Amino acid sequence: MNAEDPITIRNPGRLLTLTYVISLSVIAVLSLVVHFMLDEVISEQNNTGKIVNVSGQQRMLSQRASMFAVDYLQTGAQKSKRLSIAAIEKMKQNHQFLLAPHFEALSKGQPSPLSEELYNLYFMPPSDVNKKIKLFEGEIRAALSENGNVGAVQFSNGSLMFLQLAESDLLTPLHNIVGQYEKESLEKVNDLRNAQNVVLGIIILTILVEAFFIFRPMVAKVSRFATKLQRDANFDYLSGLLNRRAFQIVSQQAIAASHRYKRSLSVVMIDIDFFKRINDTHGHDMGDKAIKHVAKILKMSSRNADCVARIGGEEFVLLLPDTDRAGAFKLAEKLRDRISKNPLDVNGKFIDITVSAGVSYVKEHHDTIESALSEADDALYKAKESGRNNVQLA
């Protein structure tokens, strides 16, 4: 090059374009990898979550079946007999669901998908859960075939065999099975997440410059979506109150705290009177407004510590910590009175709304909310039978 030649500057456009195309191609490929990995993680979590949940139910069902069987033998209550049989049937279905992949693989001449630990828990002594569940079912059904006697305090030796299975021989292996499922699911998910982290690291190095423009908006969108999902998972969309699933979680925590610290805990079930008549007369939109109206009054009239939930169409429940039966009755009566004195105002048109309520007290032997809810529901039924717009104690 001579002195008259201008300085030549290589146009970086081609290099930048090539770099950008390669970068985007790598991002696209790795994004696809991450997408499939995330899909695999979600599928694995959903599947193992369901298995852990079902296996966890087995412990509760064994205790539930035993409890209602004992109640039947003591009192002769046919309801207890039906509940015990229902628990046994559900326990049997769960067991078949958990072992279905195992027996399906064996029928095809394939190795069992169960780990060695799970196989031993299900089929080998001393746990041998498969055998013990069948034995437990047989003992429960045999006990329920006996005639229950009101006030009876003793059972035959055969009737007591299922209690030993429920209290230790079966309960401990069922607990161990849940723990093993949780351990194996965590290991699977962790393996997938470790691989995912490696790929994510490569993506971060590749798209360092593009991160601000690509991932920041995406993270914000995912965050909003996650927040919405969490709210939808915990709150009823119509009333804005906790839904049944969230209520079950809160109530279980409240019962544990009540037993641990010897604190009072009460439950109030509330049902809108003649709700079907409101829907039929004024339309479903008005019915929705009635639910929102009652929910608003319940929420505004409750303490911060109280749990207010909508658990059915026109059914609500209040969980009242540090509240005895008398206090719960007083609050329920106040709520009933307040709702009856505040008709629904829709564009100047007033619709009278009343509610009935049932009150129960969580006792020391209540390990779950279901027993207290059942008693409150019975009291609510009495309130309905007594003419509605009143409160009854369980």
Side-chain angles (χ1 to χ4, degrees):
M1 180 180 66
N2 55 43
E4 288 76 19
D5 291 335
I7 299 175
T8 303
I9 301 177
R10 181 177 296 178
N11 189 341
R14 182 179 179 184
L15 179 60
L16 288 175
T17 301
L18 180 61
T19 303
Y20 189 67
V21 169
I22 294 175
S23 176
L24 287 180
S25 300
V26 172
I27 292 171
V29 172
L30 293 177
S31 295
L32 284 174
V33 173
V34 171
H35 168 76
F36 288 116
M37 282 190 169
L38 286 175
D39 187 64
E40 184 69 19
V41 169
I42 293 170
S43 299
E44 189 68 38
Q45 286 178 323
N46 287 339
N47 184 51
T48 55
K50 182 177 181 181
I51 290 175
V52 170
N53 180 55
V54 171
S55 63
Q57 289 180 13
Q58 299 295 74
R59 297 176 298 187
M60 177 273 291
L61 290 169
S62 67
Q63 303 306 298
R64 183 178 176 87
S66 300
M67 178 185 71
F68 285 115
V70 169
D71 185 71
Y72 167 72
L73 293 173
Q74 287 180 322
T75 66
Q78 291 300 313
K79 181 179 179 181
S80 295
K81 183 176 181 178
R82 291 194 300 270
L83 290 172
S84 182
I85 291 175
I88 279 295
E89 289 295 331
K90 181 61 176 175
M91 191 175 181
K92 183 178 179 181
Q93 293 174 9
N94 286 352
H95 186 62
Q96 292 173 346
F97 167 77
L98 292 170
L99 288 184
H102 166 77
F103 289 116
E104 182 179 355
L106 294 185
S107 67
K108 296 179 179 179
Q110 300 173 351
S112 172
L114 294 177
S115 65
E116 182 179 353
E117 291 80 5
L118 283 174
Y119 182 86
N120 290 337
L121 286 169
Y122 274 118
F123 299 106
M124 302 298 291
S127 297
D128 207 353
V129 168
N130 185 55
K131 178 179 179 182
K132 288 179 179 177
I133 284 182
K134 295 177 182 177
L135 178 61
F136 180 68
E137 178 189 0
E139 294 296 335
I140 288 285
R141 293 188 184 278
L144 294 175
S145 67
E146 300 184 12
N147 292 325
N149 294 316
V150 177
V153 295
Q154 293 181 346
F155 311 119
S156 66
N157 290 335
S159 300
L160 290 173
M161 291 181 66
F162 70 85
L163 288 177
Q164 179 180 351
L165 284 166
E167 291 173 358
S168 59
D169 293 355
L170 183 58
L171 184 61
T172 299
L174 287 176
H175 178 76
N176 293 337
I177 284 177
V178 176
Q180 186 61 34
Y181 274 126
E182 290 176 341
K183 177 184 177 183
E184 292 182 9
S185 67
L186 183 62
E187 290 174 351
K188 291 178 181 178
V189 172
N190 283 340
D191 288 343
L192 289 170
R193 283 177 174 165
N194 288 336
Q196 174 195 344
N197 289 335
V198 172
V199 177
L200 284 175
I202 298 174
I203 291 178
I204 291 172
L205 292 175
T206 307
I207 61 170
L208 188 59
V209 176
E210 294 90 345
F212 182 81
F213 302 99
I214 297 176
F215 289 102
R216 186 177 179 181
M218 186 177 68
V219 168
K221 187 178 295 185
V222 170
S223 179
R224 289 194 299 271
F225 182 65
T227 300
K228 182 180 183 301
L229 279 180
Q230 178 154 341
R231 177 167 182 81
D232 290 347
N234 291 291
F235 291 91
D236 172 56
Y237 76 97
L238 181 60
S239 65
L241 302 177
L242 290 178
N243 59 25
R244 178 182 286 272
R245 171 186 172 278
F247 174 76
Q248 292 286 350
I249 296 173
V250 173
S251 63
Q252 193 61 39
Q253 295 171 347
I255 287 178
S258 173
H259 292 340
R260 179 179 299 174
Y261 300 111
K262 308 298 182 183
R263 293 176 177 172
S264 301
L265 183 64
S266 296
V267 175
V268 179
M269 288 195 69
I270 295 176
D271 187 271
I272 300 176
D273 296 328
F274 302 112
F275 184 72
K276 185 176 185 299
R277 183 184 300 174
I278 296 175
N279 277 332
D280 293 343
T281 304
H282 304 285
H284 289 282
D285 287 344
M286 195 67 70
D288 289 346
K289 291 178 181 178
I291 289 174
K292 293 178 181 179
H293 177 71
V294 171
K296 182 178 179 181
I297 294 176
L298 294 179
K299 190 65 177 177
M300 291 178 61
S301 304
S302 302
R303 303 167 301 177
N304 290 334
D306 298 337
C307 172
V308 186
R310 179 188 177 207
I311 60 173
E314 69 273 22
E315 290 184 334
F316 303 87
V317 62
L318 284 79
L319 189 68
L320 309 175
D322 298 315
T323 306
D324 57 17
R325 292 172 78 248
F329 181 86
K330 183 178 180 180
L331 174 62
E333 182 62 30
K334 182 181 75 171
L335 292 172
R336 182 205 62 77
D337 182 66
R338 184 166 295 176
I339 291 171
S340 67
K341 292 180 179 178
N342 287 272
L344 176 61
D345 182 0
V346 182
N347 299 324
K349 181 179 181 181
F350 293 92
I351 300 176
D352 291 326
I353 297 176
T354 64
V355 297
S356 300
V359 178
S360 69
Y361 184 74
V362 177
K363 303 176 181 63
E364 293 183 359
H365 66 274
H366 288 164
D367 293 329
T368 67
I369 199 63
E370 297 303 328
S371 299
L373 278 178
S374 178
E375 294 177 3
D377 190 50
D378 291 340
L380 174 61
Y381 181 78
K382 288 194 298 182
K384 293 286 188 181
E385 289 291 303
S386 301
R388 294 180 169 81
N389 192 23
N390 69 94
V391 180
Q392 294 289 333
L393 280 171

